[in-house]
Amino acid sequence: MKMQYFIQGGDFSAGGRASTEVKSIIKQFNISPEKIRRIAIALYEAEMNVVAHAFKGKMDVDLRPDHIRVVFIDEGPGIEDIDKAMEEGFSTASDEVRQMGFGAGMGLPNIKRNCDEMLLSSVPGKGTRLEIKVLF
Amino acid sequence: MKLQTICDIVNGNILNEFQDSSDYTKAFASDLMSDVLRFSMENTVLITGLSTIQTIRTAEITNLSCLIIARDKKVSCDMINLAAHSRISIISTQASVFEISGLLYEKGLKPVY
């Protein structure tokens, strides 16, 4: 089962809508509540990263019997130093992002903690690609 | 602890009443949503001074079904509608996060972390 969602950068009122939709869809399948929780958290943090940092992006969801793979591709400033971005506490978020309860440098570590595979690549000045996989 | 009991303890108002039969056993206080996303929130009440649509989204994602918004922060119609859609109760109170935490701890709610 495949799904695709568009994510608008800077649209904080819609941020998280795609992740909650995916959560409600996967709840209909025989997936444990703990896996659903982990998937939802990873997707939400990733979606909010696109909202917070990129101009626009998309989220492609591929749901299989034994795993879920989600790819986020955005157009935006990209990440200069991925190792640094993965450090807990490091953030380049704006004040607006912080006022929404994010931007404390916990997003990427939270994603990594909640998925089985995570691939992150970025071209500064162009955009970022994040791939997440969770096994059932 | 039932929703109405929690509401009475913090001297608050339930903004979107629906049949909530949950028995809350724990509480977590934070304005940082990424911190909320780090922990399992089953049967937990979130005490926060952050009153934005992302507070509700975070609750949806983490299966939180009760939010206490501190210091009489304005709760928008969009927040109430989204919370109702996801069956999340919102309690509004004049008390501060510190005060709410103390009151609920004293009455037996346990910390998440």
Side-chain angles (χ1 to χ4, degrees):
Chain A
M1 183 180 182
K2 295 193 177 186
M3 296 162 271
Q4 187 177 68
Y5 297 88
F6 175 77
I7 304 165
Q8 182 64 53
D11 187 355
F12 288 98
S13 63
R17 191 182 286 165
S19 304
T20 46
E21 266 189 50
V22 171
K23 185 187 177 194
S24 65
I25 291 167
I26 61 175
K27 275 170 86 172
Q28 297 166 31
F29 295 90
N30 186 27
I31 302 168
S32 74
E34 178 55 20
K35 295 278 182 188
I36 291 171
R37 193 183 74 86
R38 291 180 63 207
I39 294 163
I41 291 169
L43 264 52
Y44 181 46
E45 288 278 22
E47 184 180 354
M48 289 309 295
N49 272 348
V50 176
V51 172
H53 297 285
F55 309 130
K56 62 178 179 179
K58 61 177 183 168
M59 173 171 106
D60 282 297
V61 182
D62 187 4
L63 181 63
R64 301 292 178 95
D66 62 341
H67 72 268
I68 185 169
R69 184 188 300 276
V70 185
V71 179
F72 292 82
I73 295 175
D74 74 44
E75 293 174 26
I79 302 169
E80 292 280 349
D81 185 339
I82 287 181
D83 289 339
K84 191 88 181 160
M86 289 302 300
E87 286 177 14
E88 204 154 292
F90 177 81
S91 178
T92 59
S94 65
D95 285 348
E96 190 184 12
V97 175
R98 292 175 201 271
Q99 283 163 14
M100 297 303 288
F102 293 89
M106 294 169 68
L108 287 172
N110 258 357
I111 294 168
K112 191 172 186 185
R113 193 177 295 117
N114 285 292
C115 66
D116 295 303
E117 285 177 29
M118 174 180 169
L119 293 169
L120 179 62
S121 59
S122 187
V123 180
K126 288 202 166 177
T128 299
R129 182 185 186 279
L130 171 68
E131 184 175 333
I132 297 165
K133 186 176 180 183
V134 176
L135 306 171
F136 300 147
Chain B
M1 192 180 287
K2 299 295 182 192
L3 180 71
Q4 188 60 55
T5 308
I6 291 168
C7 186
D8 293 343
I9 290 169
V10 302
N11 199 18
N13 294 305
I14 300 172
L15 301 184
N16 56 343
E17 182 100 53
F18 64 87
Q19 291 295 319
D20 180 359
S21 58
S22 306
D23 185 15
Y24 296 99
T25 55
K26 295 177 287 182
F28 189 75
S30 182
D31 290 350
L32 180 59
M33 295 300 105
S34 279
D35 223 5
V36 179
L37 291 163
R38 283 188 64 168
F39 304 103
S40 179
M41 292 289 168
E42 304 304 319
N43 303 317
T44 301
V45 176
L46 176 65
I47 304 160
T48 184
L50 186 81
S51 184
T52 73
I53 202 81
Q54 294 310 326
T55 314
I56 313 295
R57 290 283 184 210
T58 301
E60 285 182 304
I61 291 291
T62 54
N63 303 328
L64 277 162
S65 59
C66 178
L67 306 176
I68 304 177
I69 306 290
R71 286 182 282 124
D72 232 0
K73 290 276 184 82
K74 181 176 163 46
V75 179
S76 70
C77 290
D78 285 349
M79 286 175 66
I80 292 173
N81 291 338
L82 185 60
H85 177 260
S86 302
R87 299 183 65 78
I88 296 165
S89 300
I90 304 176
I91 296 172
S92 175
T93 174
Q94 286 192 340
S96 68
V97 168
F98 178 74
E99 196 177 355
I100 298 162
S101 301
L103 289 167
L104 293 177
Y105 184 81
E106 190 181 52
K107 294 292 182 184
L109 285 191
K110 300 294 180 197
V112 167
Y113 181 75

